Structure formats: structure tokens, C-alpha cells
Amino acid sequence: MIFKSKWYLAFLLSSICFFPIFPLVAQISGYDVAFPSAYLLGLSSQGVVTTNPMGSLYGNTAFLSNQSKHIIDVSANSSYANPDISPVYISGAGYISFSESIGFGIRGKPVYLRSFPSDERFSNYTFQAFVNWKLNPYITFALHLGPGVSGRLGGYSSYSWNVSFSTAIQYENFRLGILLESPGSYRFDEYLGSEKLKEKLPERAVLGFGYRWNDWLDFQLEGSRKFYEGTNVDLNHKSQYIPYPIRTMYSGNFSLAIGRIESIQLITGVGREIRMDRSLRGFYTASLGVAGSLFPTWFGEGYFYAVSFQRAGISVKESDGAETRGAVQLQFHF
């Protein structure tokens, strides 16, 4: 794990990830957008329009305004690409429902990761405080702000501010979610031991539409745009920029949740993710998971779990970048 034990008690996180990108003096890895919880991994979703707190706590927290209880959550995920297993990446969060219209929370989660590059691993984590407030019964806003840090060969970067803003709009069974995020710029003073590296990570905008058919069936669509034209890598004061085509910066997914979280729920999704390399490559994902109440007759109500698996790179060899991901999650409402 990249991050040390001092972060563990405060819902810590750990990470490493990577992918090849610009062959300068050294080969600097690229990255994928992370799935920070098992529930979101099972949906192949970024959580922009997910109402279940197991997903919205790490995605669009504006949907938490309808949550009247406090929340503690922890999630862990890892990846496999024959014959290697990635480190375990941990996400953690807490939420306080202050009133019917305002809530506060903290969360630590991976933003960009790459586990199986040809040369080095990459990870970017953020530790945010957030607040959400309900404007009226239909519209809620949320603001997230906190430091982020990246890990590459030779150490960790300087910290940078990660800021994101989200909106949730709900009317009867329809809902709309919007998420805007800027992960910041990072500096490595001793990259590979002696190199000077600066990099700006891409901003992203995510739009989602959801519909609850009934108490047992919910579906959602998401579309995402990463602003890779805004990225920049500066190695030893030599700036590198790749003119990626705009059309390659879009991705999206379709997800289904079948059943009720109070008993048992099947979650599944298919999507397209973008991996940053010398070109932006589209990889298709398919996922399946289960979530529900954790032994309510033993522990009582308010304990939930999620277990999910995802195949990233359908019909692609693992030597060409495919991997299998798995995650588990526990959440407690009180």
C-alpha cells in the first residue's frame, strides 16, 4: 500500500496505480478513473445519480440529503491481472445528518488509479470534507473540498486541493445528477530519485439520469467527459502535451439495481472507461454484485454490505490491459 498506517484510524486509504504515457527520460504512467466503493464497482458507475448511500457517499453526496441517519462506511478493493494482484485500496467515509436540509461529512477515496502498467504504478487520493444542503424538496447541492496526493515511483507528490461540486434533482420517480471535479496539480521533487516532475490531472464532468420503476427495480444512465486537453506533464522543465481527439474523452455506463437494500439487492452494469496512454483508449467493463442488510436478526437494522466484481477490458487480453476487479464494503447507519 502506498499510504502508511497513520491514516488507517481516520478512514484512510491506500493505493498504487499506473499505465505508460510519455516516453521522455522516464516513462510516466497514465491513469484510470477509480471506482471508490464496492457498490459503485458493481454498477460500473461513478455515483453521480446513485441514491443509495453506499454509492452516493463516494459520488454525488447531494443525494444524501434524504438520509436522516448518520453513516460510517469503509470499502476495500483490489485487482487481478494474471499473475499479479494489485495492492488493496481502501476508501472510508462518515456522514452526519445535521437537519432535514443540511448534512456534513468526510471521505477519503481514490480518484485516479492504475494498477497494471508496463512500467510504474500510479495513485491519486483525496481526503475531503463536504456539506450538502437542500434548496427545496426537489433540488439539493453539495460541495466537496480537501487535499489530494499522488504516488509514483520514488515517493509521493506535494499535496494539491481537490474541489468538486454536485447537484441532485429529484421529481417523483425521476432524478438527475451532475458532478464537476477538479483534482488539482501535483509536484514530485525527487521522481525516480532525482527527476523533477509536475503534472496536472484532468478535470471531469459527469451527468446522470435515473428512474425508479418500482420498489424492486431502479436503472440509471451516466455520461462522462474528462478534460484531457487540460492535462500537462512537465519533466525537468520540459513540458509535454498530447493533442488527444475530443471524441475519445467521453465515456458512460448503464446500470441496474434489482431488489431492496433492506433485504437483498442485485447490482449490475456495463460501461466504457477511458485509459490515458500515448492515446486515449476505450475499455468496456461489465460488473455484477450483491448488496443488502447484514444479518438483521443478529445485529439489528442499519448494517449493510456490498460485494462486487468487475471485468475491465472485455474481449481484451490481460497482456493488453484487461483486469478483473473485486471489492467489499460495509456501512453502518445509526
Side-chain angles (χ1 to χ4, degrees), residues 14-18 32-36 41 76-90 110 112-117 121-122 125 273 275 285 308-313 318 321-328:
S14 102
S15 60
I16 339 183
C17 283
F18 34 116
D32 306 341
V33 173
F35 297 92
L41 183 74
N77 70 82
S78 185
S79 304
Y80 172 82
N82 188 35
D84 298 318
I85 298 177
S86 78
V88 175
Y89 308 117
I90 301 175
Y112 287 103
L113 293 174
R114 193 71 198 105
S115 291
F116 300 105
R121 297 172 176 174
F122 173 79
Y125 266 84
E273 68 178 39
R275 295 186 181 178
T285 65
S308 59
F309 294 92
Q310 181 190 74
R311 181 65 176 178
E318 290 182 344
E323 64 185 77
T324 299
R325 300 163 179 160
V328 295

Side-chain angles (χ1 to χ4, degrees), residues 266-326:
L266 179 70
I267 51 178
T268 185
V270 293
R272 183 175 186 267
E273 68 178 39
I274 301 298
R275 295 186 181 178
M276 190 177 185
D277 196 354
R278 293 188 183 94
S279 62
L280 295 182
R281 301 197 297 165
F283 278 63
Y284 291 93
T285 65
S287 57
L288 183 65
V290 63
S293 183
L294 184 66
F295 302 118
T297 57
W298 293 3
F299 302 141
E301 297 180 353
Y303 294 85
F304 300 95
Y305 72 91
V307 179
S308 59
F309 294 92
Q310 181 190 74
R311 181 65 176 178
I314 300 174
S315 302
V316 175
K317 297 180 180 179
E318 290 182 344
S319 58
D320 294 329
E323 64 185 77
T324 299
R325 300 163 179 160

Side-chain angles (χ1 to χ4, degrees), residues 11 51 76 89 98 119 131 166 177 180 185 275:
F11 310 112
T51 57
Y89 308 117
F98 185 75
D119 189 32
V131 57
S166 61
L180 306 174
S185 301
R275 295 186 181 178

Side-chain angles (χ1 to χ4, degrees), residues 12 37 61 63 74 151 212 228 237 288 298 313 322 332:
L12 128 104
S37 79
T61 63
F63 282 104
V74 64
R212 182 176 295 277
Y228 285 106
H237 308 295
L288 183 65
W298 293 3
F332 175 45

Side-chain angles (χ1 to χ4, degrees), residues 11 57-58 70-74 93-95 302 330-334:
F11 310 112
L57 190 58
Y58 296 102
H70 311 312
I71 301 173
I72 293 178
D73 184 282
V74 64
Y95 176 74
L330 293 174
Q331 189 169 101
F332 175 45
H333 296 190
F334 61 98

